[in-house]
């Protein structure tokens, strides 16, 4: 990848907490330089951070952007319906996220023209607001290896229920994403939800 190259990932991110203390951040990427893929970032109650990636190319890119204590290569799938997300990651994660209505923030995001909402300029402009309004959330920042990153959100729906397991142990019921996840400069919002997003990552060159 050429120095200064900007790569765009179009898809959605689900962020949920659980009463067991495990927090999940699930990425479902429909268009990206790595093709269509899904990945799962997990932080347990003790703060151990695990990346579940479907192949070495995804793992290499994600670990060059976010920080983890453990990386596992395993098949990852996300089946999406109007009712929810069915997330599977080998023997590690089996979870179902029930979806609710579009959130008020989602309605606000939909009012911004997509070309504006997904631009790095807009992400920079709204970052000060996001920091105040959404605990732990940033829309721009510097990631691992000095990569710059911007999040352009275009919609948001509530997650209303959670069932499943993490490495054979029950996740428990749905809970807030609290404390915020520590994979990078930004966490998902505290309230569980699914955010449609275009993520732009500027790489320094590999």
């Amino acid at each position: 990848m050429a120095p200064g190259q900007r790569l765009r990932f179009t898809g959605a991110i689900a962020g949920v907490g659980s009463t067991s203390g495990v927090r999940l951040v699930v990425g479902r990427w429909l268009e990206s330089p790595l093709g269509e893929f899904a990945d799962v970032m997990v932080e347990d109650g003790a703060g151990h951070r695990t990346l579940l990636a479907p192949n070495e190319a995804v793992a290499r890119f994600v670990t060059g952007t976010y920080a983890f204590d453990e990386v596992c290569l395993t098949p990852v799938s996300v089946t999406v319906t109007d009712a929810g997300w069915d997330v599977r990651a080998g023997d590690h994660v089996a979870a179902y996220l029930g979806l609710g209505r579009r959130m008020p923030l989602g309605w606000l995001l939909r009012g911004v023209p997509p070309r504006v909402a997904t631009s790095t300029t807009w992400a920079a402009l709204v970052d000060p607001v996001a920091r105040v309004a959404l605990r732990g959330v940033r829309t721009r920042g510097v990631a691992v290896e000095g990569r710059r990153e911007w999040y352009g959100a275009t919609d948001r729906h509530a997650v209303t229920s959670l069932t499943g397991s993490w490495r054979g142990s029950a996740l428990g019921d749905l809970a807030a994403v609290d404390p915020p996840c520590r994979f990078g400069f930004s966490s998902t919002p505290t309230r569980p939800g699914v955010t449609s997003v275009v993520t732009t990552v500027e790489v320094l060159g590999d």
Side-chain angles (χ1 to χ4, degrees):
M1 297 178 185
Q5 183 179 6
R6 291 187 175 183
L7 308 176
R8 286 166 63 94
F9 295 74
T10 302
I13 298 172
V16 297
S18 68
T19 53
S20 67
V22 175
R23 284 144 288 150
L24 305 176
V25 177
V26 183
R28 177 177 179 254
W29 303 107
L30 303 179
E31 297 180 14
S32 86
L34 302 173
E36 184 175 345
F37 71 93
D39 65 319
V40 183
M41 303 179 190
V42 184
E43 184 169 355
D44 65 20
H48 187 80
R49 299 162 298 178
T50 302
L51 169 65
L52 305 174
N55 55 56
E56 290 186 3
V58 169
R60 185 166 55 251
F61 185 84
V62 176
T63 56
T65 311
Y66 304 98
F68 302 94
D69 304 300
E70 179 183 358
V71 177
C72 297
L73 298 182
T74 188
V76 181
S77 66
V78 179
T79 302
V80 176
T81 67
D82 290 340
W85 281 27
D86 187 10
V87 181
R88 307 281 170 166
D91 297 328
H92 304 277
V93 171
Y96 187 81
L97 286 58
L99 289 182
R101 296 180 178 181
R102 177 173 289 115
M103 301 169 72
L105 177 58
W107 288 109
L108 288 173
L109 293 171
R110 282 172 59 85
V112 181
R115 181 174 294 183
V116 174
T118 60
S119 71
T120 57
T121 299
W122 180 255
L125 286 173
V126 301
D127 183 59
V129 178
R131 294 192 201 194
V132 174
L134 300 168
R135 180 189 173 207
V137 174
R138 298 277 307 279
T139 56
R140 70 164 180 172
V142 178
V144 175
E145 297 187 1
R147 294 177 177 179
R148 294 200 295 167
E149 189 172 15
W150 297 263
Y151 294 109
T154 58
D155 202 353
R156 182 160 166 79
H157 285 75
V159 170
T160 56
S161 64
L162 172 67
T163 58
S165 62
W166 161 243
R167 292 181 170 171
S169 297
L171 288 169
D173 295 328
L174 183 68
V177 185
D178 186 31
C181 296
R182 301 173 301 112
F183 305 117
F185 64 84
S186 178
S187 176
T188 62
T190 301
R191 183 177 176 184
V194 172
T195 304
S196 299
V197 67
V198 174
T199 299
T200 303
V201 181
E202 183 178 83
V203 299
L204 301 181
D206 296 333

